[in-house]
Amino acid sequence: MTLRANWSYPTAVKFGAGRIAELAEQCQAIGLKKPLLVTDKALASLPITLAALDQLEAAGLGRACFSQVDPNPNETNMEAGIAAYKAGGHDGVICFGGGSALDLGKMIALMHDQTMSVWDLEDIGDWWTRADASKIAPIVAVPTTAGTGSEVGRAGVLTNSVTHKKKIIFHPKLLPAVTICDPELTVGMPKFITAGTGMDALAHCLEAYCSPFYHPMSQGIALEGMRLVFENLPKVYANPNDLEARAHMMAAAAMGAVAFQKGLGAIHSLSHPVGAVYNTHHGTTNAVVMPMVLDFNRATIEEKIIRAAAYLGIEGDFDGFRSKIMELRSTLAIPENLSAMGVEAARLDELTGMALEDPSCGGNPVEMTRENTRALFEACL
Ligand SMILES: [Fe+2]
């Protein structure tokens, strides 16, 4: 009997426009008295962040903010955050922002009082049991983009600044105690971030849907998540103030992250090394390699994609689905290929090695080898 798996479904989500007004109340409900708000440099001075800090201060929770977070956060950012957490005597972390801020905030909550290295908690087997779970701080997540889905996930991505490798750090207690999904917070995103993060949500749904593992709940969520992205990402790109479409994108992002418990694949295993070496935007990089990865997996996923196309109202089976993605990419001004993102052919061997070490590669429907992965990279140039 192969129908055997371990499943978890995510955290409490307070979903809806304007619900950021509940931030202080939700922090108090989980017992926080002095949270540290972790965000990124760009967000730190924006009105949405200042309003959140004002609200915390008015409720007697202080207004501590740490924002030294790089776009692909690394252990140096984490150590600085831990120093701020300890110096301020904090009792929990509010992860406020896009994927980078959410993931780094989680790392600070995880590592502020552990004795082992963060790299010993990589998402491999039961390595997470090495952490002292009683010393992980409670997390409140507030996404301001719609893509990563980290707000409903139990992991964070951290880049090793020495090896330039991205590692997935996992612990069940990284699941936020509460998440506030307020689509109004995403209205001010720059256009290319709306596009890139939205394509990350699509990549999560698509890769989860295509992964070979048995998880029919995730399968259904992934399919509906794709529908929400196809229908709403062009709307929010054309009209950033379309709040209803913003809400659907925010739901799709959370759904993508719930779905990818089922597995990711070659889109992410290619995108992670490219992002680590060239500091490219994660979701945009996913969008660049997506059509080539579909071709790469075609023989194995064609039937599944035909079923998806039927549900999504896309004509033309597999080719129609691929064309729909190409159309979406051009609507969103996604670069044509990895060369346009600055990736050099001379580094393909190195990138191939890194892709094969990436944990996402195990969920790809077609087994990834040195030879076929290098050829896939070449097709993406
Ligand atoms: Fe992703």
Side-chain angles (χ1 to χ4, degrees):
M1 183 71 171
T2 56
L3 304 186
R4 185 184 159 88
N6 297 323
W7 293 334
S8 327
Y9 268 72
T11 187
V13 178
K14 311 294 172 189
F15 190 97
R19 295 200 68 177
I20 188 62
E22 297 170 37
L23 176 63
E25 176 192 331
Q26 294 299 338
C27 287
Q28 285 160 335
I30 61 163
L32 299 188
K33 294 189 170 68
K34 208 177 176 196
L36 176 65
L37 187 143
V38 175
T39 189
D40 63 40
K41 292 166 197 157
L43 270 169
S45 56
L46 291 188
I48 51 171
T49 314
L50 298 176
L53 289 168
D54 289 345
Q55 186 194 144
L56 295 172
E57 189 175 27
L61 297 170
R63 57 176 306 129
C65 178
F66 174 78
S67 63
Q68 298 307 303
V69 179
D70 290 323
N72 288 301
N74 57 41
E75 76 284 0
T76 311
N77 299 147
M78 181 186 81
E79 279 150 20
I82 289 173
Y85 186 91
K86 285 181 171 166
H90 297 292
D91 59 0
V93 175
I94 300 171
C95 303
F96 188 98
S100 309
L102 294 186
D103 284 0
L104 193 81
K106 285 177 164 184
M107 293 303 108
I108 295 168
L110 173 66
M111 294 304 299
H112 72 95
D113 199 17
Q114 304 286 340
T115 50
M116 83 293 298
S117 156
V118 69
W119 309 120
D120 291 336
L121 301 177
E122 192 183 344
D123 189 10
I124 297 174
D126 66 353
W127 283 22
W128 62 271
T129 58
R130 295 167 171 176
D132 182 343
S134 71
K135 292 182 173 168
I136 301 174
I139 296 164
V140 175
V142 184
T144 63
T145 65
T148 162
S150 183
E151 65 273 15
V152 294
R154 300 163 299 161
V157 179
L158 195 66
T159 301
N160 186 311
S161 66
V162 179
T163 63
H164 296 288
K165 287 180 180 162
K166 284 193 167 193
K167 297 289 182 187
I168 297 173
I169 309 298
F170 171 86
H171 194 285
K173 279 192 79 177
L174 288 182
L175 189 69
V178 62
T179 287
I180 297 177
C181 282
D182 182 343
E184 284 180 1
L185 301 179
T186 67
V187 163
M189 260 191 284
K191 260 186 128 111
F192 85 98
I193 300 285
T194 292
T197 50
M199 289 303 278
D200 190 26
L202 180 61
H204 295 157
C205 292
L206 176 61
E207 293 215 281
Y209 179 78
C210 293
S211 111
F213 303 119
Y214 181 66
H215 200 325
M217 290 188 274
S218 283
Q219 191 80 353
I221 289 172
L223 189 56
E224 176 65 2
M226 281 194 271
R227 185 184 73 79
L228 290 174
V229 174
F230 280 127
E231 287 184 9
N232 294 286
L233 186 50
K235 288 186 191 169
V236 295
Y237 190 74
N239 176 11
N241 296 311
D242 184 339
L243 208 52
E244 194 171 312
R246 288 283 190 194
H248 287 312
M249 282 307 301
M250 196 155 228
M255 291 164 79
V258 170
F260 78 59
Q261 291 185 35
K262 183 171 174 280
L264 289 170
I267 294 176
H268 277 79
S269 57
L270 263 60
S271 170
H272 284 151
V274 170
V277 172
Y278 291 98
N279 228 11
T280 56
H281 185 264
H282 169 68
T284 310
T285 316
N286 289 344
V288 169
V289 303
M290 192 178 282
M292 284 62 93
V293 171
L294 276 178
D295 297 339
F296 180 83
N297 288 329
R298 180 167 187 158
T300 308
I301 63 171
E302 184 154 5
E303 251 177 67
K304 267 187 188 169
I305 292 292
I306 290 172
R307 277 205 303 275
Y311 175 73
L312 298 166
I314 296 170
E315 286 179 11
D317 294 338
F318 184 93
D319 291 321
F321 184 87
R322 191 188 190 282
S323 303
K324 181 84 176 170
I325 284 174
M326 293 305 284
E327 185 191 309
L328 184 58
R329 284 190 359 157
S330 75
T331 303
L332 303 174
I334 300 291
E336 285 284 303
N337 49 42
L338 289 181
S339 306
M341 298 191 101
V343 176
E344 308 135 291
R347 294 191 78 166
L348 285 197
D349 284 332
E350 178 193 351
L351 292 169
T352 300
M354 291 166 79
L356 292 171
E357 276 178 30
D358 191 89
S360 314
C361 115
N364 197 64
V366 170
E367 195 188 343
M368 295 173 71
T369 64
R370 186 159 291 275
E371 204 177 17
N372 69 15
T373 304
R374 196 183 193 289
L376 174 57
F377 262 123
E378 277 167 22
C380 294
L381 283 187

